[in-house]
Amino acid sequence: MSLLTLEALTLMIGAAPILRGVTLGLGPGEILGLVGESGSGKSMTALAVMGLLPQGARTLGRIWLEGQDVLALTERQMCALRGNQIGMIFQEPMTALNPLMTIGDQVAETLMVHRKMPRAEARQIARDKLDRVGLTAPRFPLSLYPHELSGGQRQRVAIAMAIALQPRVLIADEPTTALDVTTQAEVLDLLRDLARTEDMALILITHDLAVVAGMADRVAVMRRGEIVETGLTETLFRAPQHPYTAQLLAASTHRPEAAARPTFAPGREYLSQEENPAASSWQKYSDPDGALLRVAGAVRTYRLARPRPFAPHPALRAVDDVSFTIAPGESLGLVGESGCGKSTLTRAILGLDPLQEGTIRLGAHLVGPGMPQAARADVQVVFQDPYGSFNPRQRVETLVAEPFHLTGLPADWRDRVAAALVEVGLAPEDGAKFIHEFSGGQRQRIAIARALIIRPKLIVLDEAVSALDVRVRAQVLDLLAALQASHDLAYLFISHDLSVVRNVTTRCLVMQAGRIVEQGPTEALFTAPGHPYTAQLLAAAPQIPPAWMEDRAHASPLV
């Protein structure tokens, strides 16, 4: 018996076909992995099931949920259905959370609305759900607001909200994109346990094929709004029948290689030395020992909320005596669990968050107030949350061109923006759109284009490819490798995806509770970790069984 059935679902927005005859079925306790590149229709399929399609969308076909035709229900009926019988974990946690409400009230609200539960009882259940997704008391009190949490912690709150009512069907749209490997393993175990013990059907939408390999009973592969292949997980991974499936599997184990020197347009480099004052003047203020970035004894402490009235404020040492250097042209990885201090350290390097102790130097200059404009132009960043790092009221071409304000706006800036978009897999006409018109992965590509456009000396990549599907991730990593080879770029690559860190960095730092517990050459650290915490991270990382991938090495490139 199917809990959820999609019959020839077709979706049009204006004259554009978004979904083309999608047919799927899902039974109690079954986990279906829905995979495909960004923009293939995975999220729109989920939104159709939830009755959250944009205005003007037209649908054909049927969506049956335990005998009810979802497409025939009124909005009032859908409001009663959402959360109660069908829940959803969205890809972007900040878009699912109310910034004006505490996390305790947000989880409790679902129970109060649907179950008419008293607030005190609802908050107690909210406490239990937050504990279950790893946000345990007393470190994460119900009184915290979303902005006080890291990206991974916000995603855990969103998951707690979605499972609070124990829905019959749960749609998880990239539920672990923002999570570190140990938390990812815990959350996936939780979702698997809920599906099995509660007979809950689970649709797992993800670009991480290693997660699908370890979680899903069946896999459905989407491309351009169509289901091109379905099958049992192991069978599909071992012997894909559609060329597109084989190509996705090949891209999932891709190792980047430096390509020919990239250009924005024929005959045009990103920026010449003369056009970039920062690049041409770098040698004038280089570090005496040759380091591009030098962090020495960095300490950043935050004052937490009082545990009770009139009690002293406890302190959290988010960054605790951290020291390291990055050389010109080097790729340095920084890994660790969500909340370990990676993002706090990133903000300090960018001059956005002052240190209480220690120093950060970019060349010979201290990072902070008074830092020369030329030095600021040499450091760009790609943040973890692509939507939160853009002004939603500006067009994409303006957003990508923002770094030119440090170097001077060139006359052909629109041509350069258009070419930058092409380099990260988008189209020149995308420059005229607004950021809300793109998927999560496409927004991250725009963020990378913005960081690359003035050819800085150092790019801080904070989960830069976490939202990208495997095909685009491979393209972006190749692009980053090519830029590094041709322009001597340095990268600080902050990620919870250990496979990516292993493939793209030469040296790696492991961070736990604000401290660097291990560092060394990446391959040596991954092969023979010297610290128990590093070994724990590596053990938790999802992997596609090597035996499933034996014949994938020679798949043709994606088209």
Side-chain angles (χ1 to χ4, degrees):
M1 182 186 72
S2 290
L3 279 177
L4 179 68
T5 302
L6 279 63
E7 297 179 353
L9 178 64
T10 298
L11 171 64
M12 303 283 291
I13 298 179
I18 307 300
L19 300 178
R20 308 165 186 262
V22 174
T23 297
L24 289 172
L26 198 59
E30 186 178 14
I31 301 175
L32 173 70
L34 186 58
V35 303
E37 60 189 308
S38 181
S40 63
K42 305 187 302 296
S43 294
M44 290 304 294
T45 301
L47 293 176
V49 174
M50 293 293 294
L52 296 174
L53 292 172
Q55 188 174 8
R58 295 179 291 113
T59 57
L60 298 172
R62 294 286 184 268
I63 301 175
W64 298 99
L65 177 62
E66 293 191 297
Q68 300 180 86
D69 185 356
V70 171
L71 296 179
L73 298 179
T74 65
E75 179 58 23
R76 178 181 289 273
Q77 290 170 322
M78 283 304 303
C79 286
L81 197 70
R82 296 187 199 109
N84 206 15
Q85 289 179 258
I86 183 167
M88 185 167 180
I89 304 165
F90 291 93
Q91 180 177 354
E92 302 267 5
M94 276 305 285
T95 62
L97 300 177
N98 186 335
L100 302 180
M101 292 178 64
T102 66
I103 61 173
D105 284 342
Q106 295 197 56
V107 179
E109 181 182 45
T110 301
L111 296 157
M112 294 166 65
V113 170
H114 285 279
R115 300 286 169 82
K116 310 303 180 185
M117 193 175 289
R119 185 172 185 270
E121 183 181 353
R123 284 175 63 83
Q124 181 56 54
I125 296 177
R127 177 72 274 164
D128 293 340
K129 298 300 181 183
L130 289 169
D131 287 345
R132 194 169 186 188
V133 297
L135 299 179
T136 55
R139 187 180 177 190
F140 298 98
L142 299 180
S143 58
L144 288 177
Y145 286 87
H147 73 270
E148 298 178 277
L149 303 176
S150 68
Q153 291 161 356
R154 293 173 195 150
Q155 190 69 296
R156 289 189 243 181
V157 176
I159 292 170
M161 292 170 61
I163 66 174
L165 293 171
Q166 298 177 294
R168 296 290 288 139
V169 176
L170 180 63
I171 302 173
D173 189 356
E174 302 285 3
T176 58
T177 293
L179 302 182
D180 58 78
V181 289
T182 53
T183 304
Q184 180 186 63
E186 294 168 0
V187 169
L188 292 175
D189 285 343
L190 170 62
L191 293 175
R192 186 189 297 110
D193 180 64
L194 285 168
R196 303 306 190 214
T197 60
E198 304 293 334
D199 269 348
M200 179 182 72
L202 173 64
I203 299 177
L204 180 63
I205 300 173
T206 182
H207 62 261
D208 192 332
L209 298 184
V211 167
V212 170
M215 279 284 291
D217 302 306
R218 289 189 300 118
V219 180
V221 182
M222 288 196 78
R223 188 187 192 195
R224 297 175 182 172
E226 296 181 281
I227 302 292
V228 298
E229 184 172 2
T230 61
L232 297 175
T233 303
E234 182 175 347
T235 302
L236 186 142
F237 273 68
R238 283 183 178 273
Q241 299 302 301
H242 196 281
Y244 178 70
T245 307
Q247 293 158 1
L248 280 182
L249 291 168
S252 68
T253 55
H254 176 77
R255 294 182 71 93
E257 298 178 0
R261 185 179 181 130
T263 57
F264 273 143
R268 288 288 303 176
E269 298 178 1
Y270 282 87
L271 274 181
S272 69
Q273 293 286 325
E274 292 74 22
E275 292 171 309
N276 187 350
S280 61
S281 62
W282 176 257
Q283 295 301 325
K284 298 177 183 178
Y285 54 88
S286 61
D287 182 270
D289 297 325
L292 180 62
L293 181 77
R294 182 178 298 276
V295 179
V299 174
R300 184 68 173 99
T301 303
Y302 292 102
R303 191 173 70 165
L304 301 179
R306 291 187 177 96
R308 58 187 183 280
F310 307 112
H313 288 276
L316 172 65
R317 208 171 174 91
V319 177
D320 189 1
D321 194 23
V322 169
S323 299
F324 64 91
T325 62
I326 300 178
E330 182 182 18
S331 289
L332 178 68
L334 177 61
V335 301
E337 293 178 286
S338 178
C340 71
K342 304 189 303 295
S343 294
T344 300
L345 180 60
T346 301
R347 291 194 296 271
I349 291 171
L350 296 170
L352 302 176
D353 211 350
L355 299 175
Q356 278 87 25
E357 299 177 31
T359 59
I360 300 175
R361 289 183 177 273
L362 183 65
H365 290 273
L366 282 172
V367 172
M371 186 178 181
Q373 193 84 329
R376 291 186 184 277
D378 268 295
V379 183
Q380 293 295 303
V381 62
V382 178
F383 289 104
Q384 178 178 354
D385 182 355
Y387 193 74
S389 62
F390 288 122
N391 184 338
R393 298 181 178 181
Q394 292 183 338
R395 297 186 187 275
V396 164
E397 65 176 8
T398 303
L399 297 173
V400 173
E402 281 180 342
F404 282 129
H405 292 295
L406 296 173
T407 62
L409 191 67
D412 62 344
W413 68 272
R414 281 195 169 90
D415 292 337
R416 298 189 186 193
V417 168
L421 293 173
V422 171
E423 289 288 346
V424 296
L426 298 173
E429 54 267 28
D430 289 330
K433 299 178 182 178
F434 292 94
I435 201 68
H436 72 270
E437 299 179 70
F438 297 89
S439 68
Q442 291 166 335
R443 292 171 192 158
Q444 195 69 298
R445 292 187 238 176
I446 294 167
I448 293 169
R450 179 175 64 178
L452 294 173
I453 200 165
I454 59 170
R455 209 189 77 190
K457 289 291 184 181
L458 171 66
I459 299 180
V460 179
L461 300 154
D462 188 356
E463 302 290 359
V465 296
S466 64
L468 303 181
D469 59 72
V470 290
R471 182 185 70 90
V472 177
R473 181 178 68 183
Q475 291 175 347
V476 169
L477 293 178
D478 279 342
L479 174 62
L480 293 173
L483 287 166
Q484 184 173 45
S486 59
H487 299 306
D488 203 29
L489 277 170
Y491 297 132
L492 175 58
F493 210 106
I494 302 167
S495 180
H496 62 261
D497 190 331
L498 300 186
S499 64
V500 170
V501 171
R502 186 171 191 173
N503 286 339
V504 303
T505 66
T506 54
R507 191 162 56 93
C508 188
L509 310 176
V510 181
M511 197 169 187
Q512 182 187 32
R515 298 184 68 89
I516 302 299
V517 297
E518 186 171 3
Q519 60 180 297
T522 303
E523 192 59 34
L525 188 146
F526 275 66
T527 303
H531 194 279
Y533 178 69
T534 309
Q536 177 187 347
L537 289 179
L538 294 172
Q543 296 183 38
I544 301 174
W548 294 11
M549 299 293 289
E550 290 174 354
D551 299 324
R552 303 283 73 78
H554 303 294
S556 59
L558 285 171
V559 294

